[in-house]
Amino acid sequence: MKRLIFACSLLLASGTMGLADGLFWVVGNRATGKCNIVTSNPVINGDIWFGDGPYKSKDDAKLARSTIRACPALTPDEQKAEDGAG
């Protein structure tokens, strides 16, 4: 019985980790004064002061970032750099 419970808990843990693949979050970075898009679930402490998401695509996260009041608008150079990196 203990083996079955252990096996089920391992299966559940590996399944929930797999669900986070391919997701995006918008995080507010206090150190830079900007909002970044990240691919891991953010931990809210220190310089990270908020996290929003998850979003299924990077485009969805970009759209969400543009609607969050705390996020400053990107300059054209920042937009080009982000589009080139993605």
Side-chain angles (χ1 to χ4, degrees):
M1 185 64 152
K2 288 182 182 180
R3 286 185 181 183
L4 180 63
I5 292 172
F6 181 72
C8 289
S9 64
L10 283 177
L11 186 62
L12 181 65
S14 65
T16 56
M17 285 188 277
L19 290 175
D21 290 343
L23 298 177
F24 299 88
W25 285 263
V26 178
V27 296
N29 190 329
R30 187 175 282 130
T32 62
K34 297 181 180 185
C35 294
N36 302 324
I37 297 174
V38 297
T39 57
S40 62
N41 195 350
V43 176
I44 311 301
N45 67 0
D47 290 334
I48 305 299
W49 58 283
F50 80 86
D52 188 42
Y55 297 99
K56 291 184 179 180
S57 70
K58 191 169 185 177
D59 290 333
D60 289 345
K62 286 180 184 180
L63 178 62
R65 180 178 56 190
S66 70
T67 63
I68 298 172
R69 288 185 182 183
C71 295
L74 293 178
T75 65
D77 292 336
E78 290 171 335
Q79 285 178 341
K80 287 180 187 177
E82 186 176 82
D83 291 340

